[in-house]
Each structure stands twice: as C-alpha cells, then as structure tokens.
Amino acid sequence: MTEVAAPTSALPEPGGPDPAAPVRRRRALGDNTIVVTLLAFVAAMVVGAILIAFSDPATRSASAYFFSAPMDTLRAAASAIGRGYAALFEGAVFNPTTAARGTVAGIFGPISETLVSATPLILGGLSVGLAFRAGLFNIGGQGQIVAGATCAGYVGFAWHLPVVIHLVVAIVAGMVGGGLWGALAGWLKARTGAHEVITTIMLNYVAVNMLGFLLSVKGFQRPPYGQAISNVVDANARLPHLLGSSLRVNAGLFLALLAAYAIHWLLTRSVLGFEFRAVGANQNAARTAGMSVERSYTRVMLIAGVLSGLAGVTQILGTNSAITGDIDAGIGFDAITVALLGRANAGGTVLAGLLFGALRAGGVQMQSSTGTPIDVVSVVQALIVLFIAAPALVRFLFRLHGSGAGAGQGLAKGWNG
Amino acid sequence: MSTAATTRPGDEVVIHRVVEKPMSTRRRVGIGVAISVLGLLSLLLGHNAQAHDARFDLSQGSEFFHVPDLVLPVAATAYVIGIILLAVGAYQAVRGFRPRGLRIAGTGIGALFMLAFLSWAASGGKGSTIDLLGVLENTLALAAPLILGALAGVLCERSGVINVAIEGQMLAGAWAGAMFGTLMGRFGGVLTALVAGALMGWLLAVFAIRYLVNQVVLGVVLNALSLGLTGFIYDAIMQPNANTMNTPQVFQPLQIPVLSKLPLVGPLIFDQNIIVYLMYALVILIQWGLFHSRWGLRTRAVGEHPKAADTVGINVLRVRYVNVILGGAIAGLGGAFMTLGSVGSFTKGITSGNGFIALAALIFGRWSPKGAVAASLLFGFAYELQTLLSLVAPPVAIPSYFLAMLPYLATIFAVAGLVGKVRAPGADGEPYVKE
C-alpha cells in the first residue's frame, strides 16, 4: 500500500550524502522497468520449476519418504527441473541432437517454431497495445482474429485468383474482417458509451458462434461435411515459406514486423497517433484541444481490429491451411499478456511476442520429451504478467526500493469510465 | 452528527424526489416496433405450423395429482399471441408503458412469444410432445452455475472491484470440488471448492486493492492462471489416476417432504441437489442483505462513493476484501455445481465460458441479485433451447449457433442502451487510495 500509494514520489531523498547510497542504488534498480521485468521473469520461472518438479513422478515418489532422505527428493526435483527447462530451450532455440544431423530443419527447426508461434502473438499484442495507448482495453482479440481468419480463409479457398494477387486480396480481406469487428466495439462506445471490455468479450463469443455456424454450411465446410473444418486454402493464397517447405516459418513474420514498424511510426510520428495518445492520456484535455474523442475510439478500434485480423491472416494463410473452430488458438487472450509485457510499445511487443512464442514452442517440446504438461507455460506467462503489473510485489520479493507504477495501470478505468 | 433527528425551524429541508425521465419518442416507438415484429413473427409461425396440435408434458408422476398434458392448437395459439403482441406493440408505440410496466409487459411478451415458438417447434416432424417440465428443470440446472457466478460478481462489483475473473474462480472451484470431492467425500469437495474460489478471490483482492493493478487486466490474467494451473494438475495427476482422483460422488436430488409433491413447482424447485438449495439461500440472503442490512449499505456505499464511505468511518478496503473473497467462494461453489452437481468429473476448462456468461448476466441484470438471477435463467433457457430444438426438429431448422449467440447479443444491446441503459456502481473498478 505505502509504496504504490504515492506514484509520484520518485524524488531524490533529502539528507546526508552517503548512508542512503545503497538504498538509492536499490531504488534505481527497483524503478528500472527492465530490471523489474527480468525479475518478474525469474520469479515466474521459479514457480514454473516447482510445478515441473511436482509433475515429475520420480520426485513425487521420493517425496513420500522426504523426512528420512530429503536429498533424494531434492535430487530428483533438480534433475526434473533441469531436464524440463533443457527441453524447453531445445524446443525454442537450439536442439543439439537434431542439429547434429546437419539438415536445415534440424538446425533451425526450433527457431522456426518459435517464430511461427511469435508471429500472431506480436500482431495480437500490437492490437491490444495500440488500444491501451488510446485508453481502451481490447479484449476482443479472439473475435477479431476469428473474423479476420474467416474472411481471409474464405477468399483463400472460394476465390481463384492469379499468384500474388490472390494472396494480397486474401490478406486485405482478413484485415477488413478483423477491422470491422473491432470498429464495431469502438463505434458502440463512441455512439452509446457501452464499455469496450463488455462489448468485446461478448463479440468474441458472437464471432466464435458465427464461425461455428459457417463451419456447418456447405460451400464453407469441407466435404464430406462430417467435421467442422473448412475447405483448404489455395496454394496461391498461402504465405510463402521462408526457409524451405520443411520449416513452418513463413512470410507472416514479415507482416508482423512491418506492422510493428507501422505502429511505431503511427504512435510516434503521425498526427493520428498523437491524437490517440492524447485521448489515452487525458480525454478531457484532448476534447478541449478540439479532438473528437468519440471518432478516435472508432478509429483506434478499427486499427486494433485490423492488427488482430492480420494475426488471423497469419494463422490461416501461414500456419494452418483450413479454418477450424479453434483457429484463434488462445492468441486473443495471450496477446493481452504480450502487450502488457511489451509495455504497449511496438519494440517491446515484438520482444514480448518472441519470448512468449519461444515459451509456446518450447512447451510443446517439453511436453513431448519429459511429459510435463504444456499448461506450465500458461502459468509462467500469467505469473510474469501478474508480477510486472504489480511491480511493488516484485520489489518486495527481491527487497528493492522504488515507486514506479505497473504496466496497464490507470489505462482502462471502471465500467462507467 | 447532529444530535436531534427532528427538524427545527431554520433547518434546510431537502426533499428527494425521484423523477423519472420520460422515454424519448424514438426509443418508445422503437420498442413498440420491436414488440410488433415479434407479433408478426408469431403470425408467421402460426402460418407455418405443420401439425394441428402441440402437446406439452407438465408432470413427472410423483405429484399429489396428475397434471394433464397441455394441448394447444398450434396455428390458433400462434395467431392469437401474434394479435396480442401486435396490439401491445401498437400501444407501446403510441402511448408507451411506464418503465416498471414495460418490464412486466416485457416478461409477459417474452413468455407468450416463447409459447408460440415452442408450439410451432413441436408441430414439426411427428408433432412430438415437449416435456416442458423437463425443459424448465434443465434450464434451472444450466442456470445454477450462472446464478452463483453472477452473485459472485454482484458482491465484488457492488463494493467497487470489477470481477472479470469469475471464470477462473469457477474453474478453481470445479477442480477442487472434483479432486477433493474424490479424496475427502463430496462435502469435503464442496468445502474445498469454496476455499479454492475464495483463494482466487483473495488473489484478485490483494492485487486489485493492495497493489492497485488494473482490475480488468487482473481478471484476464487470473483466468489464464487458473486455466493453466488446473489444466496442469489435471494432466499431471488427475488424468493418470482418474479412478482415485477424479471420480467424486455426485449429489443426488433431495426431495423436500410435502413441497416436492406440489404440481409443477414441486419437481421443478423442491427436488434438487443440495448445492441448488444453497443457491436459493444465497440468492435470498444477498438480495435481502444488500438492500436491508448494515453490510449491504456499507457495500453499496463503498462501491458508489468510497471517499464518502471512508469519511463516515467505514473501512473501505476491509469491506472490499471481505466482499471479493466471499464472492470468490460463491463462484467456487458455482464451479463445484458443475463437477459435483451434474457432470461428476473434472476436465480441462470445464467451465467453458460460463464465467463470462455469468458476467454477462450480472451486467444484463443491472448489478442486482434479482436481475442477475432473472438474466441467468434467461441465458440458461437459451442454452436449453439449443438441445430442445435438436430433439423436436421444428418445421424450419434453426442453427443452434444463433441461439447460443443470444445471451451475448442481449448483453451488447443492454449496455448499448437499446433496451434501457444499464449503469455500473459508481466506483466500480476504481482503486481507493486514502489521501
């Protein structure tokens, strides 16, 4: 309570020159967002390690006689944690065993998986982050991704256009689909004051059910109409692979990086971005300065929707080849954590997306080689964000001083705000 | 504090009179047109009816006396209802009901239209019988977790803490109920479900109240945490040892002596399992307590204007802690209903969005316990309708997906003010920091 209560008390401490020096050093550390982020990561990985040990049968059976031979339990736990995190690393960055084969897939396979997972997360994170900057909370990533993937996928399998043109048209269709779905929430807020958190959550479910319906309609559903899966996207409309067909990494990555640059430019260099930030910082001031707050709600949600729609595009034109009910794959919600970890700026979001992409890719490897459930990754992700959102807790855990506010604080207000 | 409660000469007397803003013409006509459209739809249903009669089964067989089946001539019923709705719609468009009257009329209109709709649905295929009592029983079973989740939301949000984490709290309760219900017996399961939900509520409270984390962010993250943790434990220990870890005994319905033999309401309300009875008690307790007890007054004060509440000596943060933790426990009970009350085992993400529908019910019910119950029942009915329509095969197939969308669309309409503006508690979501 006491530490966070005064967010502006980062003034230098008055008093003698030296006795406060260690305190000041610790305060400087505690105020540094990078340090706090790293410590949050460490704390979350520690909890993850406990879970890995817990899920290890050897550790559990050794813990039955913990009090007679405690070292057995600790040794088994240490070995399980070591194997688990080694597998995570091998799945996400570099696997010496497969690399020894000398093939491209063996060497770059893990990195490729990380980038494939990171691509939609970056796009989704940019979407949530942009809305944050304008003071809006976009929980509608799921719906926008579904809308984007549905439109892009439909153009991808129902239309038959020449090379390049087909891909471009499909991407644009996805952007339009996601954009409109996002703009709907922004427009409702501008027009009626309906809180975007409520409307975006509800629109998620509307989109998912709409997709469920489409997947039961002939012309959309793939023959012989037994499964809820769409037709296959034409080869012309697919995002090209970057490192040969043996690796899944595709041009969607460029889309994500391009979008990140565009958002960076938008927020720091353009009039529109300035307007968004002004509205996010202080609505009343923005209105007094002659900006239309309502119009910016619609616009920012439109662009946020376009970004989420692009995440859907990379899902359907890059990673998968047909639409299924879970085309969103939880990205809409993970994107929120990515945006928070990335502190709602473009560069940070790219890094956060890569980190979470690596965790996802590594988690798959960990599950298959050590049997540790992949859910440990969701726990670690949630904890990282929980810790960085409450820097006071991290500072308390690591005995640092400081007073910075957490990520996502003071952005979206209450339901009536 | 003045010592005398009576007014003395010279005191300023303030008379508060609640003035209802008259409804704008546009909205009045809009609602009238909407009702008329339902009326036209009813006429259309009557026109489209295939079989002559629709049969509704209203009894279970254990009542004091047998309630005969309700047999309605489909076309005539739908036509009559259609004409009534057209008349009501015209009255609303021209004269307009008062808000209170409109709410009552709205309930009646909904019920009548549903009767026409169900008659029509039953007239398809072989003119099968609709087990109306069964439909209502299922509705209650589907609504029970929603009601408990929405009550959890009422407690939190009335005290000023946004609870988007209902889903996570329910999931924790469902998990604890199944696992500890297997290990310690089902009552132990219910108890641990309450504790698990309360722990999730405590996390929400600590981070929202002490660390001032944005409450919507927090809710989303806690949902992810709960989904991850319960999924992890399920994969790591429950699924490999399903027989010893994930087979709780399910609560069987308990018949209340005499009352359960009443026609209609007996089997529907007084032949339920213990969690449902607990739910009845909670609904009544919270509805009464919120508006007639010291706790309720404090809760509402803290949620509407914490500074004023603090000024008169209410411990704002403590009230919020207590309410959020209690709310978590109630949501946990809602989760336990799923594993111990109906399904009988836990699976990953078993709550499947029920926490979010409960959130929708809370909002649609205007943050009041009564309203939340009504909204939950409505949403539960929309669920049940999906099953029903797949069983009776109406003359025109209606994709269940559109029915599944109804709760969400209804909530969007509600917050957008198309059916009367809903307003959240004044300080909902705003952390309180003493200056």
Side-chain angles (χ1 to χ4, degrees):
Chain A
M1 203 57 246
T2 47
E3 282 177 315
V4 207
T8 48
S9 72
L11 299 166
E13 303 241 309
D18 249 349
V23 174
R24 221 180 300 131
R25 205 177 313 126
R26 288 178 154 206
R27 174 172 291 260
L29 274 179
D31 273 339
N32 186 329
T33 53
I34 295 176
V35 172
V36 170
T37 307
L38 277 178
L39 293 179
F41 183 72
V42 170
M45 289 302 266
V46 169
V47 178
I50 295 170
L51 287 181
I52 291 175
F54 171 79
S55 77
D56 179 47
T59 311
R60 278 213 306 279
S61 56
S63 70
Y65 54 92
F66 180 79
F67 290 103
S68 49
M71 284 318 287
D72 273 14
T73 308
L74 295 182
R75 212 174 293 125
S79 136
I81 295 165
R83 272 181 288 126
Y85 279 149
L88 190 76
F89 181 82
E90 285 169 5
V93 185
F94 183 74
N95 186 343
T97 323
T98 54
R101 289 186 215 133
T103 56
V104 179
I107 299 168
F108 296 108
I111 286 284
S112 157
E113 284 305 300
T114 292
L115 294 176
V116 164
S117 305
T119 301
L121 288 175
I122 292 171
L123 286 163
L126 289 170
S127 163
V128 178
L130 178 71
F132 264 154
R133 296 293 286 270
L136 295 182
F137 205 151
N138 179 17
I139 304 201
Q142 187 186 16
Q144 292 148 19
I145 289 171
V146 166
T150 306
C151 293
Y154 181 75
V155 170
F157 65 70
W159 297 7
H160 303 286
L161 302 170
V163 200
V164 183
I165 298 174
H166 197 174
L167 177 61
V168 172
V169 173
I171 291 175
V172 170
M175 291 165 75
V176 170
L180 289 180
W181 207 250
L184 185 55
W187 178 79
L188 279 171
K189 186 181 177 80
R191 201 54 207 279
T192 69
H195 199 284
E196 78 281 2
V197 169
I198 300 172
T199 51
T200 49
I201 290 177
M202 301 305 147
L203 284 172
N204 282 344
Y205 287 99
V206 174
V208 168
N209 279 303
M210 195 79 96
L211 176 60
F213 168 69
L214 286 175
L215 287 175
S216 69
V217 173
K218 283 178 189 171
F220 202 94
Q221 193 182 10
R222 180 193 303 180
Y225 311 115
Q227 279 178 306
I229 187 164
S230 77
N231 288 311
V232 180
V233 172
D234 278 7
N236 279 355
R238 303 199 31 91
L239 289 160
H241 287 279
L242 295 181
L243 293 174
S245 57
S246 59
L247 292 174
R248 294 204 298 161
V249 63
N250 56 59
L253 181 66
F254 291 139
L255 279 183
L257 296 177
L258 209 65
Y261 180 76
I263 292 304
H264 174 74
W265 180 87
L266 177 82
L267 280 173
T268 56
R269 295 273 180 277
S270 74
V271 177
L272 190 62
F274 178 75
E275 202 174 297
F276 288 167
R277 283 187 292 138
V279 169
N282 187 336
Q283 277 181 30
N284 297 329
R287 193 173 277 126
T288 311
M291 299 172 188
S292 165
V293 174
E294 281 69 30
R295 202 176 52 198
S296 76
Y297 285 154
T298 313
R299 286 181 173 177
V300 80
M301 284 305 289
L302 175 74
I303 302 178
V306 166
L307 289 165
S308 283
L310 271 176
V313 165
T314 64
Q315 279 290 93
I316 184 63
L317 303 183
T319 318
N320 305 308
S321 57
I323 309 172
T324 53
D326 60 350
I327 189 75
D328 154 62
I331 293 160
F333 279 97
D334 279 359
I336 299 167
T337 53
V338 169
L340 288 166
L341 182 59
R343 311 255 162 190
N345 67 55
T349 304
V350 171
L351 292 177
L354 286 173
L355 176 67
F356 280 9
L359 284 175
R360 268 191 177 213
V364 174
Q365 174 75 25
M366 183 164 68
Q367 181 160 27
S368 67
S369 65
T370 68
T372 308
I374 194 167
D375 303 75
V376 72
V377 168
S378 337
V379 175
V380 167
Q381 286 179 2
L383 287 175
I384 292 176
V385 175
L386 204 53
F387 288 139
I388 62 155
L393 177 66
V394 174
R395 287 194 288 265
F396 168 77
L397 286 175
F398 292 94
R399 302 286 182 276
L400 298 173
H401 299 261
S403 55
Q409 259 176 22
L411 287 170
K413 300 283 179 342
W415 288 145
N416 293 318
Chain B
M1 282 278 141
S2 77
T3 45
T6 50
T7 25
R8 288 163 302 188
D11 272 2
E12 207 175 322
V13 180
V14 182
I15 300 170
H16 289 283
R17 194 179 292 143
V18 181
V19 181
E20 273 177 359
K21 218 166 65 181
M23 195 182 276
S24 74
T25 315
R26 211 170 122 191
R27 175 175 294 171
R28 193 191 72 213
V29 174
I31 295 174
V33 168
I35 297 171
S36 308
V37 168
L38 281 184
L40 285 176
L41 214 55
S42 291
L43 294 181
L44 207 65
L45 292 176
H47 181 69
N48 180 249
Q50 286 180 355
H52 188 266
D53 288 333
R55 188 176 281 272
F56 295 99
D57 185 0
L58 293 172
S59 83
Q60 206 182 41
S62 61
E63 297 88 339
F64 286 128
F65 56 89
H66 181 76
V67 186
D69 285 358
L70 179 66
V71 183
L72 294 173
V74 180
T77 308
Y79 283 138
V80 169
I81 289 175
I83 290 163
I84 294 175
L85 294 191
L86 281 176
V88 172
Y91 177 79
Q92 162 68 22
V94 178
R95 295 286 303 276
F97 287 98
R98 295 179 154 201
R100 197 181 160 77
L102 187 61
R103 226 169 295 157
I104 297 167
T107 314
I109 290 163
L112 281 178
F113 179 73
M114 264 305 127
L115 191 63
F117 179 79
L118 289 179
S119 307
W120 166 79
S123 82
K126 298 171 232 76
S128 45
T129 307
I130 289 185
D131 178 11
L132 195 58
L133 192 64
V135 167
L136 295 178
E137 278 179 57
N138 290 343
T139 298
L140 185 62
L142 290 167
L146 302 180
I147 291 175
L148 288 165
L151 284 180
V154 168
L155 284 191
C156 293
E157 305 214 351
R158 278 289 182 156
S159 72
V161 178
I162 288 181
N163 190 355
V164 182
I166 300 173
E167 176 88 359
Q169 293 158 356
M170 286 173 79
L171 198 55
W175 161 75
M179 187 161 132
F180 292 98
T182 316
L183 296 173
M184 300 157 53
R186 49 197 181 168
F187 285 99
V190 169
L191 215 63
T192 41
L194 286 168
V195 172
L199 274 176
M200 290 300 296
W202 174 77
L203 273 181
L204 177 66
V206 169
F207 279 94
I209 299 169
R210 174 145 187 221
Y211 293 111
L212 310 179
V213 177
N214 177 295
Q215 293 162 13
V216 177
V217 169
L218 192 54
V220 171
V221 173
L222 287 179
N223 284 335
L225 184 68
S226 183
L227 188 64
L229 268 180
T230 55
F232 178 84
I233 297 172
Y234 175 75
D235 270 353
I237 56 174
M238 283 172 86
Q239 203 190 12
N241 315 299
N243 286 331
T244 52
M245 290 286 202
N246 198 11
T247 46
Q249 225 185 337
V250 175
F251 283 106
Q252 297 304 323
L254 290 174
Q255 295 187 347
I256 304 272
V258 189
L259 289 176
S260 68
K261 297 270 184 277
L262 292 172
L264 285 181
V265 290
L268 181 58
I269 297 175
F270 300 109
D271 185 10
Q272 297 287 350
N273 69 42
I274 190 151
I275 299 180
V276 176
Y277 292 128
L278 259 175
M279 180 191 84
Y280 295 157
L282 282 170
V283 169
I284 295 167
L285 203 68
I286 293 174
Q287 173 68 36
W288 175 82
L290 201 54
F291 299 102
H292 300 282
S293 78
R294 188 211 295 241
W295 160 78
L297 184 61
R298 291 186 168 184
T299 298
R300 286 179 294 133
V302 162
E304 290 291 344
H305 202 317
K307 201 167 184 178
D310 195 8
T311 314
V312 297
I314 298 173
N315 187 335
V316 174
L317 302 187
R318 197 176 67 195
V319 171
R320 288 189 171 174
Y321 266 108
V322 168
N323 274 1
V324 174
I325 293 170
L326 277 180
I330 293 175
L333 185 64
F337 176 84
M338 300 188 137
T339 48
L340 292 173
S342 57
V343 180
S345 63
F346 179 80
T347 45
K348 260 190 197 184
I350 188 175
T351 46
S352 62
N354 267 275
F356 285 108
I357 304 186
L359 180 70
L362 161 74
I363 296 163
F364 194 65
R366 300 165 179 239
W367 284 268
S368 93
K370 222 167 46 180
V373 171
S376 301
L377 287 170
L378 194 66
F379 294 173
F381 184 70
Y383 255 138
E384 171 58 17
L385 214 50
Q386 297 173 40
T387 322
L388 180 69
L389 290 187
S390 69
L391 289 177
V392 298
V396 178
I398 297 172
S400 64
Y401 297 102
F402 290 111
L403 290 167
M405 263 180 228
L406 282 181
Y408 310 112
L409 288 176
T411 307
I412 293 175
F413 281 123
V415 290
L418 295 181
V419 280
K421 188 86 185 147
V422 295
R423 197 191 135 271
D428 204 1
E430 285 164 25
Y432 179 66
V433 182
K434 209 167 185 168
E435 274 136 35

